[in-house]
Amino acid sequence: MTTPTAIPAGKAVPPPRPSRLWVRAGWTAVLLVVLAAFWRVNIDWSQLSDFVPSLFHYLRLMFCPPAWSQTSAAFSATILSVQMAWIGSILGILISFPLSFLAARNVVPVWVRLPVRLVLAILRAVPEVVIAILILSVTGLTAWTGALALGIGSIGTLGKWGYESFESVSGGPLEAARATGGSRLAVIRWGLWPQAQPEVLAFWLYRFEISVRSSAILGLIGAGGIGKMLSDNTQYQNWNVVGILLIVVVVVTMIIDQISAVLRQRLITGRWALVGYGARRKALTPTGLA
Amino acid sequence: MTDRRPGTAGDPQIVFDGVGVTYPNGYRGLSDISLTIPAGQMVGVVGLSGAGKSTFVRTINGLVTATEGSLTVNGRDVTTARGKQLRAVRSDIGMVFQGFNLTGRTTVLNNVLMGRLYSAPWWRTLLGAWKSDDVELAMDALTRVEIVQKAYTRASELSGGQQQRVGIARALAQQPSIILADEPVASLDPPTSHVVMEHLRRINGELGVTVITNLHFLDLARKYSDRLLGLRGGHVVFDGTGADADETVFESIYGRSLTGEDVLDATPNLETS
């Protein structure tokens, strides 16, 4: 409704370019860190030339042909690993869920959330393998140890993702819930939770995906499942068994990743779509005609 | 819909007595407001941005606490109310927002059921196990704003005008005696604005709910109010009917003469409203 101001005639005078000193300093620092990383690692470049031929050698041992007879054993070991990841995820969710509320800025005062955040940060800093080794002495070398380690290991990340989603909700619905006369609990349940819920559920699924992959590593230290079978057969150089194990692990992990990705997509967007198809194509064609 | 308005139309319902608001950062939001709003009145509040319109409506349900004077709503003192008492006051006052303040990712029905948060027991609200009476009330409210067919749609899939009608339904589901509307049409186009304002006027006329609406546009405020309040710098500078609001009144509210930016419908003419 305002009449546009007339553009004065004459040469445009752009503002001076802002200093790029900090950008340059940043990239120099990255370069120094990369160079420093090579120091003391003692890379033997001659080994690298042997790498490709020996890789093919072992690939042939593993896959020409793989030990098909071990397929069902490999499957049952993989399923044990997935169960380990599943139970671990449920444990992690049950414990991290209340903690993420107790760590959110818009839910609790600072003296509550700081200690909770500290606990979550410490849990995040400890790798699952280390947790497993620590609790081995109590629970022994079982799949339960693996599940427990995955559960404890996921509390830290799940808790952080949780409180970050709670803190990113918009204040409007919270104010609306308060304005209806809702209690604190009601405001959290109906103002905050519905906004954060799709993301939080998606994080739970994503964490399960990660745990499926970690469960194989936990098996290496003897916590059962696919990892144990893998390390045993590597030790005895049964390369064709290792081959079938790798095939089964990769196939099962990919299937779980895909199912989980489709579910996460549904949670976030509210629509069913094959990940990488529907949503992406829509974004690329703003008119929505293609 | 059942009507639980205390008192009858015309009884003093909202009483401001020397109310002032100073924000914690020292900003004066409102100064020395003394006025009475009777039950069943349709009030339009106009003024520039920062004149105190939002603060004014938010003191009524205690979202902003009055720091001076006293404010009673339906006989209850809002300024001193805390906790459960304050929630009781709020439960009787519905609120409609400029940005709708719906939760886009959940259904329209769930958004409207939020209007029942005060009356439902805590475990029902926690589990979302609403009584069928509450669901019926929510559906009634949606029917009243003519959007009940969208009850199970995600709120984010609705247009702005539809979302604001859901916002009104949420306020109605409280069975309030008062509805506060803070710039309810500021994010909507002109035709949609009129639809939303018509709904508010119908609720006022048919249910006898007191409606207090902040509006940026003077013509809209004149058309949809029994009484016009003009705010400037936190003071009430005009209190009268739309017909009384002439060019001099306008200048006292806006500090300048009327332009096309102050009316919703194209021609800046006070007489056409």
Side-chain angles (χ1 to χ4, degrees), chain A residues 5-6 26 54 57 86 88 90-91 104-105 119 141-142 153 165 173 184 194 210 217 233 271 282 288:
Chain A
T5 325
S54 67
H57 172 66
W86 184 248
I90 289 172
L91 272 175
R105 189 182 302 126
V119 170
L141 270 177
T142 60
S165 347
R184 230 179 138 68
I210 295 174
I217 296 169
N233 282 289
R271 293 178 198 285
K282 208 172 179 181

Side-chain angles (χ1 to χ4, degrees), chain B residues 4-233:
Chain B
R4 54 166 185 150
R5 251 178 331 110
T8 43
D11 285 358
Q13 187 180 36
I14 303 169
V15 184
F16 282 82
D17 186 10
V19 170
V21 172
T22 306
Y23 284 101
N25 63 6
Y27 182 76
R28 285 288 280 169
L30 286 180
S31 300
D32 195 31
I33 308 282
S34 294
L35 54 90
T36 299
I37 296 172
Q41 200 167 48
M42 182 100 185
V43 182
V45 184
V46 291
L48 292 166
S49 327
K53 302 193 296 287
S54 278
T55 307
F56 179 77
V57 295
R58 277 175 172 73
T59 52
I60 297 174
N61 63 0
L63 283 179
V64 170
T65 310
T67 48
E68 295 148 38
S70 84
L71 170 60
T72 54
V73 175
N74 290 327
R76 280 184 288 223
D77 190 343
V78 183
T79 38
T80 57
R82 293 287 177 277
K84 178 92 183 163
Q85 291 167 297
L86 184 58
R87 297 203 286 116
V89 173
R90 286 175 181 170
S91 74
D92 202 24
I93 306 173
M95 188 153 187
V96 178
F97 302 86
Q98 173 177 352
F100 322 132
N101 287 2
L102 302 181
T103 303
R105 282 163 162 178
T106 188
T107 62
V108 163
L109 181 63
N110 272 340
N111 273 287
V112 177
L113 280 166
M114 282 173 70
R116 307 304 301 158
L117 285 179
Y118 176 78
S119 52
W122 70 269
W123 61 270
R124 279 192 181 278
T125 57
L126 188 68
L127 300 174
W130 301 99
K131 278 202 296 204
S132 54
D133 291 359
D134 287 331
V135 176
E136 206 173 303
L137 251 163
M139 290 297 190
D140 278 356
L142 284 169
T143 309
R144 191 165 274 284
V145 291
E146 294 165 0
I147 199 154
V148 72
Q149 73 280 7
K150 299 280 189 191
Y152 297 104
T153 310
R154 273 197 188 201
S156 59
E157 290 176 16
L158 305 186
S159 70
Q162 290 174 323
Q163 291 199 28
Q164 193 56 297
R165 273 144 69 196
V166 174
I168 294 174
R170 176 175 59 195
L172 275 179
Q174 290 175 237
Q175 297 181 295
S177 63
I178 300 163
I179 287 183
L180 307 173
D182 187 23
E183 300 267 14
V185 299
S187 335
L188 303 175
D189 58 52
T192 316
S193 299
H194 283 292
V195 172
V196 165
M197 290 310 297
E198 279 299 341
H199 276 298
L200 286 175
R201 178 150 75 181
R202 275 229 307 263
I203 288 160
N204 170 257
E206 292 169 13
L207 301 175
V209 175
T210 311
V211 176
I212 301 168
T213 312
N214 286 345
L215 286 165
H216 182 77
F217 296 112
L218 190 64
D219 55 338
L220 215 56
R222 285 178 50 160
K223 184 169 178 192
Y224 295 101
S225 357
D226 306 330
R227 178 182 179 183
L228 212 57
L229 292 176
L231 288 181
R232 186 177 178 186

Side-chain angles (χ1 to χ4, degrees), chain A residues 15-16 85 87 111 148 152 287:
Chain A
I87 293 172
W111 53 269
L148 216 54
I152 296 170
T287 49

